[in-house]
């Protein structure tokens, strides 16, 4: 394909992909299978690789992420990013309506006059606010709130959010800003926490924190993987072609933005109150969190007349929902043992309706909280559903306390295996140290071993593992490799085919590369990324086992907590035995020859910044080559940068900075030569 043909194809692919993106992420109405979509995107990316000069900053390929932002640039908002004043009661809202009417010179309570102020009610999305700046219909900058005057430029991360259009459709003004809320849908949040649980990481507290934490990440590819979403709700600009806010929302939708279908226009404050009442009950059915309703005067002229205070507009107000609270009886406290051995006390409650669901259980978190609340079995407790998933007990109704109640004694032994519990200094939770024999921990470890990012044994799901464990066939990950088909066949739901699949799946483990085996063996705190880094650095498990905690820290890949976790793991004889059995079976406990050959110390102590597009290798490959050869990658040029590895289409800013700091600029060919010498 020549350049002209490529240009046409890229253009067509771009618009086709963006239509599918829009249908999927904005309209919730996919019009193509994931497989076909991936094919289109792959074709685009490969054409862009062939003709890098044709890559547009608004190409759908930019949504995949990859750009690293070491430090977010601070930028001044064109219009200060104000917040809203809050209200918590019907009285507050009636007061707001009265002030609006007075501010407009209308008489409150005058039935005829009141109909001249219309209000738009919107959901108050619980995430982080973002200002999206468009020039000639293309997203050019996305800025966080910051202190309201200036915020962080998070454009690279925002581009990965598929509901944020990179290019607009229709008749838009040449420059404008639109503000909205970036949030994490609840199912995405739940999935992330499930994964964190698998590797023994503490769960993220709530979707709001998860969304804002994600937007601060340096690696936009990780942001892309986190499936954030964005609703817009406020347009700003010179001479906008609208008379009122509702019209602006409607038009924003036509230009390609995601606007909530629940925004409504009302004639008076009474209708507003009904809307609020409706959502106070219904909000729990939404697939994302809201923490209130925003009420805005619709008419732009009226907005102008009302103006702003120093902090917020006088033409809008937020109504915040009260966290719903109920009182119910605490029937019992039970204790759950997680996959990592962490103990969670759970309150078993007399079933009660709260936030649209029947609540039977609530988390009591840990021993300290139980002591602080002094909660006792038989007490009437106040339960609240806040931003967190599991309802919380926030207090005890002491007036209803029974005279014969006893203070709660926290358990001292594991409810699953009877082992004495431990609690590390500074840790909130007790844990069961019997990693090797405590059933939920054993099953959890095996599940982790078989999971997709670890050994990826498709034929070994959670249920099968539990079945095998209960039948006494496996007690640890090494036992899996002793399984015989004859042992499997008598098990329930285990037909010839599933048994064969399982045995084959286990055989295939021999091909899984070292870095994934290292992740799979389940060393606490060693997640997928850490395992990769360690594998590259130390190259084999034997080498890793030979390192002391201090030496591990010196490798620069891990901190104290992980280093200690690794040395503790290998100090345990039982772990060593399991590792030996896995070795005998033939799992890869070192980098492959190919991987090893790519390793050297040639780039030791050198720091590289990669910029632009390359012909022979992808940026990820180059980064890997640098790491394999002992060098370091960095996202921004500083005095510490040794080389700027420059491809085509490199940003002029970077070039200027490199020249100013005297950083050596090398090409892809020069880089290859460095490795050959
Ligand atoms: S309008 C000048 N509309 O709530 C008015 N804000 O303090 C700008 N929010 O900072 C805000 N949903 O982050 C508006 N439908 C909505 C909203 C909304 C959530 C957030 C936003 C704002 C905060 C209010």
């Amino acid at each position: 394909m020549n350049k002209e043909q490529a240009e046409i194809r890229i253009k067509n692919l771009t618009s086709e992909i963006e239509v599918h993106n829009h249908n999927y992420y904005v309209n919730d109405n996919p019009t193509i299978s994931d497989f076909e979509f991936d094919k289109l995107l792959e074709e685009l990316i490969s054409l862009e690789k062939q003709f890098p000069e044709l890559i547009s900053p608004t190409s759908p390929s930019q949504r995949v992420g990859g750009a690293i932002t070491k430090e977010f640039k601070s930028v001044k908002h064109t219009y200060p990013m104000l917040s809203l004043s809050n209200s918590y009661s019907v009285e507050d809202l009636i007061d707001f309506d009265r002030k609006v009417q007075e501010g407009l010179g209308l008489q409150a309570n005058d039935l005829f006059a009141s109909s001249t102020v219309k209000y738009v009610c919107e959901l108050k999305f619980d995430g982080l606010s973002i200002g999206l700046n468009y020039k000639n219909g293309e997203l050019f900058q996305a800025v966080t709130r910051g202190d309201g005057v200036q915020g962080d430029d998070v454009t690279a991360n925002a581009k990965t959010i598929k509901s944020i259009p990179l290019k607009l459709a229709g008749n838009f003004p040449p420059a404008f800003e639109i503000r909205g809320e970036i949030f994490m849908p609840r199912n995405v949040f739940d999935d992330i926490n499930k994964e964190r649980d698998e590797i023994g990481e503490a769960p993220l507290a709530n979707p709001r924190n998860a969304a804002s934490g994600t937007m601060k990440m340096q690696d936009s590819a990780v942001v892309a993987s986190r499936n954030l979403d964005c609703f817009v709700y406020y347009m700003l600009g010179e001479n906008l072609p609208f008379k009122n806010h509702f019209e602006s929302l409607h038009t924003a939708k036509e230009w390609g933005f995601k606007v909530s279908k629940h925004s409504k226009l009302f004639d008076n404050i009474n209708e507003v109150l009904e809307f609020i009442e409706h959502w106070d009950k219904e909000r729990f059915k939404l697939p994302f969190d809201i923490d209130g309703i925003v009420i805005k005067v619709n008419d732009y002229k009226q907005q102008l007349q009302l103006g702003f205070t120093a902090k917020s507009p006088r033409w809008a107000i937020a109504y915040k929902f009260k966290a719903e609270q109920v009182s119910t009886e605490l029937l019992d406290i039970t204790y759950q043992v997680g996959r990592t051995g962490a103990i969670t006390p759970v309150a078993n409650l007399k079933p009660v309706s709260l936030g649209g669901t029947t609540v039977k259980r609530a988390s009591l978190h840990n021993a300290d909280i139980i002591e602080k609340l002094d909660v006792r079995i038989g007490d009437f407790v106040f339960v609240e559903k806040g931003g967190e998933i599991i309802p919380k007990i926030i207090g005890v109704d002491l007036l209803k306390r029974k005279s014969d109640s006893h203070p709660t004694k926290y358990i001292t032994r594991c409810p699953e295996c009877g082992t004495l519990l431990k609690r590390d200094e500074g840790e909130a939770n007790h844990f069961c140290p019997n990693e090797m024999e405590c059933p939920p921990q054993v099953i959890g470890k095996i599940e982790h071993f078989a999971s997709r990012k670890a050994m990826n044994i498709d034929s070994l799901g959670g249920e099968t593992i539990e079945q095998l464990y209960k039948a006494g066939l496996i007690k640890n990950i090494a036992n899996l490799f002793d399984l015989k088909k004859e042992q499997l066949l008598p098990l329930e739901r285990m037909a010839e085919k599933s048994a064969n699949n399982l045995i084959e799946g286990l055989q295939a483990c021999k091909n899984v590369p070292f870095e994934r085996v290292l992740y799979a063996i389940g060393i606490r705190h060693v997640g997928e990324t850490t395992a990769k880094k360690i594998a590259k650095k130390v190259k084999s498990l034997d080498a890793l086992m030979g390192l002391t905690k201090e030496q591990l820290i010196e490798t620069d890949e891990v901190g104290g907590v992980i280093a200690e976790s690794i040395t503790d793991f290998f100090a345990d004889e039982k772990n060593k035995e399991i590792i030996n059995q896995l070795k005998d079976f033939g799992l890869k406990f070192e980098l492959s020859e190919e991987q090893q050959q790519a390793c050297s110390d040639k780039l030791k102590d050198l720091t590289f910044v990669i910029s632009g597009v390359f012909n022979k290798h992808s940026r990820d490959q180059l980064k890997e080559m640098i790491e394999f050869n002992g060098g370091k990658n960095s996202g921004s040029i500083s005095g510490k940068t040794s080389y700027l590895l420059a491809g085509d289409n490199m940003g002029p800013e970077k070039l200027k900075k490199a020249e100013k700091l005297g950083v050596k600029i090398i090409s892809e060919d020069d880089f290859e030569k460095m490795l050959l010498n």
Side-chain angles (χ1 to χ4, degrees):
M1 197 180 279
N2 66 27
K3 194 169 156 192
E4 282 72 42
Q5 290 166 322
E7 195 163 6
I8 296 171
R9 184 66 189 141
I10 286 180
K11 210 167 148 218
N12 289 339
L13 281 167
T14 298
S15 53
E16 197 178 342
I17 290 170
E18 282 301 87
V19 166
H20 291 305
N21 257 336
H22 188 262
N23 287 340
Y24 189 101
Y25 293 99
V26 178
N27 296 341
D28 283 335
N29 183 20
T31 36
I32 187 174
S33 72
D34 287 358
F35 177 72
E36 283 168 299
F37 181 86
D38 288 346
K39 267 201 334 212
L40 294 176
L41 192 60
E42 267 166 32
E43 188 186 344
L44 175 69
I45 291 174
S46 122
L47 275 177
E48 286 183 343
K49 252 196 200 132
Q50 255 178 288
F51 300 95
E53 64 276 24
L54 298 178
I55 301 179
S56 143
T58 55
S59 163
S61 60
Q62 305 300 303
R63 295 197 182 278
V64 183
I68 305 279
T69 317
K70 262 277 176 265
E71 230 174 88
F72 295 104
K73 202 169 65 189
S74 181
V75 282
K76 196 162 181 283
H77 290 291
T78 320
Y79 306 90
M81 211 183 235
L82 301 176
S83 62
L84 296 171
S85 57
N86 289 325
S87 62
Y88 300 91
S89 65
V90 171
E91 291 73 43
D92 287 350
L93 289 170
I94 291 183
D95 200 42
F96 165 72
D97 181 46
R98 186 182 49 79
K99 283 193 192 137
V100 166
Q101 310 260 4
E102 279 174 9
L104 295 173
L106 303 166
Q107 267 189 313
N109 300 327
D110 178 334
L111 276 180
F112 298 102
S114 68
S115 66
T116 58
V117 183
K118 290 192 189 236
Y119 291 111
V120 177
C121 283
E122 293 164 17
L123 305 183
K124 186 169 184 307
F125 311 104
D126 201 7
L128 69 144
S129 33
I130 191 82
L132 303 169
N133 291 284
Y134 285 82
K135 272 195 187 151
N136 301 320
E138 296 194 355
L139 173 68
F140 98 101
Q141 199 168 50
V143 187
T144 61
R145 168 196 290 282
D147 61 6
V149 177
Q150 47 189 36
D152 286 344
D153 179 343
V154 290
T155 314
N157 287 349
K159 278 185 180 172
T160 69
I161 301 175
K162 320 284 192 310
S163 48
I164 296 180
L166 301 180
K167 247 178 143 104
L168 305 179
N171 204 3
F172 40 78
F176 70 95
E177 176 172 349
I178 194 158
R179 295 205 174 140
E181 199 84 352
I182 292 178
F183 63 97
M184 184 177 280
R186 215 159 237 298
N187 61 343
V188 175
F189 173 75
D190 291 344
D191 286 350
I192 292 177
N193 270 351
K194 219 158 76 203
E195 220 171 296
R196 289 177 76 92
D197 185 45
E198 269 173 22
I199 59 162
E201 297 277 331
L204 303 174
N206 55 51
R208 180 184 359 99
N209 290 358
S212 61
T214 302
M215 284 304 284
K216 284 189 201 126
M217 288 179 159
Q218 297 182 343
D219 186 348
S220 60
V222 181
V223 183
S225 74
R226 288 221 163 167
N227 294 321
L228 297 174
D229 207 337
C230 179
F231 280 119
V232 296
Y233 47 62
Y234 183 32
M235 209 181 301
L236 290 147
E238 305 276 312
N239 305 322
L240 292 177
F242 319 108
K243 286 204 172 64
N244 61 58
H245 175 62
F246 202 57
E247 218 182 283
S248 79
L249 291 180
H250 185 77
T251 313
K253 191 163 185 262
E254 284 179 353
W255 293 346
F257 291 101
K258 182 156 172 162
V259 179
S260 167
K261 59 176 184 232
H262 300 302
S263 302
K264 293 263 149 63
L265 181 62
F266 294 118
D267 282 335
N268 57 54
I269 198 76
N270 288 331
E271 291 177 4
V272 169
L273 297 178
E274 276 171 31
F275 183 86
I276 290 176
E277 205 177 318
H278 170 81
W279 282 109
D280 196 5
K281 289 198 203 85
E282 297 296 308
R283 63 187 149 130
F284 302 103
K285 294 184 188 155
L286 292 165
F288 47 82
D289 283 355
I290 62 170
D291 61 341
I293 297 294
V294 179
I295 300 112
K296 299 173 184 171
V297 168
N298 186 36
D299 189 273
Y300 277 172
K301 269 201 208 125
Q302 292 181 339
Q303 284 191 5
L304 204 65
Q305 209 176 331
L306 290 162
F308 293 82
T309 70
K311 282 196 226 133
S312 53
R314 287 199 196 85
W315 45 263
I317 194 164
Y319 174 86
K320 299 267 257 195
F321 292 131
K322 281 184 257 324
E324 203 187 342
Q325 237 180 52
V326 283
S327 148
T328 186
E329 194 180 347
L330 175 62
L331 302 175
D332 194 11
I333 298 176
T334 50
Y335 298 83
Q336 278 179 352
V337 187
R339 290 171 181 185
T340 55
I343 308 290
T344 316
V346 177
N348 295 273
L349 305 165
K350 190 164 174 198
V352 63
S353 166
L354 176 69
T357 49
T358 303
V359 174
K360 295 189 202 109
R361 286 142 62 87
S363 170
L364 277 166
H365 301 284
N366 56 51
D368 288 347
I369 301 236
I370 293 184
E371 200 181 313
K372 200 168 123 214
L373 293 170
D374 181 24
V375 20
R376 305 174 182 194
I377 293 173
D379 273 348
F380 275 78
V381 290
F382 297 110
V383 185
E384 190 177 286
K385 208 166 187 180
E388 278 75 36
I389 328 146
I390 308 163
K392 256 202 296 211
I393 293 189
I394 47 152
V396 174
D397 189 346
L398 289 175
L399 295 174
K400 287 196 188 161
R401 173 163 280 171
K402 294 169 186 130
S403 56
D404 60 349
S405 74
H406 303 287
T408 300
K409 275 208 195 93
Y410 204 80
I411 49 164
T412 51
R413 290 188 176 274
C414 174
E416 296 277 350
C417 69
T419 305
L420 262 186
L421 298 181
K422 279 195 179 168
R423 187 183 195 179
D424 285 340
E425 221 183 286
E427 288 285 328
N429 285 88
H430 286 73
F431 72 96
C432 166
N434 185 15
E435 268 185 74
M436 295 294 174
E437 279 152 35
C438 180
Q441 297 193 61
V442 174
I443 294 176
K445 270 189 197 309
I446 303 175
E447 278 179 357
H448 168 74
F449 183 77
S451 66
R452 197 171 47 84
K453 289 182 181 166
M455 305 306 278
N456 192 18
I457 315 172
D458 251 359
S459 44
L460 187 61
E463 267 178 42
T464 312
I465 293 172
E466 222 171 309
Q467 204 181 9
L468 294 169
Y469 176 78
K470 284 192 179 142
L473 294 175
I474 51 170
K475 289 198 168 67
N476 59 48
I477 49 178
N479 297 154
L480 285 169
F481 299 98
D482 294 330
L483 287 172
K484 304 272 171 315
K485 198 170 146 189
E486 306 79 71
Q487 293 174 303
L488 300 175
L489 287 173
L491 298 175
E492 232 178 275
R493 296 188 308 276
M494 186 64 82
E496 174 102 16
K497 189 156 178 243
S498 350
N500 282 339
N501 284 348
L502 178 49
I503 302 286
E504 275 165 28
L506 288 164
Q507 283 297 328
C509 284
K510 287 184 182 166
N511 301 323
V512 173
F514 172 46
E515 61 270 22
R516 269 173 50 202
V517 178
L518 182 58
Y519 168 63
I521 57 176
I523 305 173
R524 211 184 162 102
H525 304 305
V526 176
E528 200 194 349
T529 319
T530 309
K532 249 189 221 164
K533 283 188 189 165
I534 298 175
K536 276 179 201 160
K537 194 80 182 185
V538 305
K539 301 185 181 65
S540 76
L541 197 81
D542 284 339
L544 179 63
M545 287 170 80
L547 294 179
T548 61
K549 188 179 152 193
E550 289 68 32
Q551 286 170 324
L552 269 166
I553 297 173
E554 270 170 34
T555 63
D556 259 7
E557 302 302 345
V558 299
V561 176
I562 302 182
E564 187 160 336
S565 174
I566 295 174
T567 45
D568 282 357
F569 183 90
F570 292 121
D572 190 319
E573 286 303 323
K574 283 185 200 149
N575 281 331
K576 278 193 208 155
E577 203 182 306
I578 292 175
I579 299 285
N580 281 334
Q581 286 167 342
L582 296 176
K583 255 188 203 165
D584 288 345
F585 175 72
L587 294 198
K588 285 203 165 70
F589 276 120
E590 54 187 29
L591 292 181
S592 69
E593 253 180 53
E594 214 177 35
Q595 284 176 313
Q596 298 251 18
Q597 266 172 14
C599 287
S600 81
D601 270 344
K602 283 182 186 156
L603 307 180
K604 196 167 169 252
D605 299 329
L606 298 178
T607 302
F608 289 77
V609 172
I610 302 181
S611 184
V613 187
F614 299 86
N615 297 321
K616 299 188 192 156
H617 306 279
S618 73
R619 286 156 66 113
D620 279 345
Q621 277 169 340
L622 289 168
K623 275 187 197 160
E624 200 153 85
M625 287 158 80
I626 290 170
E627 278 168 16
F628 269 114
N629 288 287
K632 269 196 202 138
N633 286 296
S634 163
S636 60
I637 296 170
S638 70
K640 288 186 193 144
T641 312
S642 323
Y643 292 98
L644 170 63
L645 175 45
D648 299 331
N649 279 9
M650 199 186 67
E653 294 283 321
K654 274 211 171 112
L655 203 58
K656 237 194 265 163
K657 196 161 176 194
E659 277 163 2
K660 201 170 133 202
L661 292 173
V663 172
K664 278 178 235 143
I665 303 169
I666 54 168
S667 68
E668 196 174 15
D669 289 342
D670 299 333
F671 176 69
E672 279 184 337
K673 278 184 208 143
M674 282 174 92
L675 294 181
L676 286 175
N677 285 333

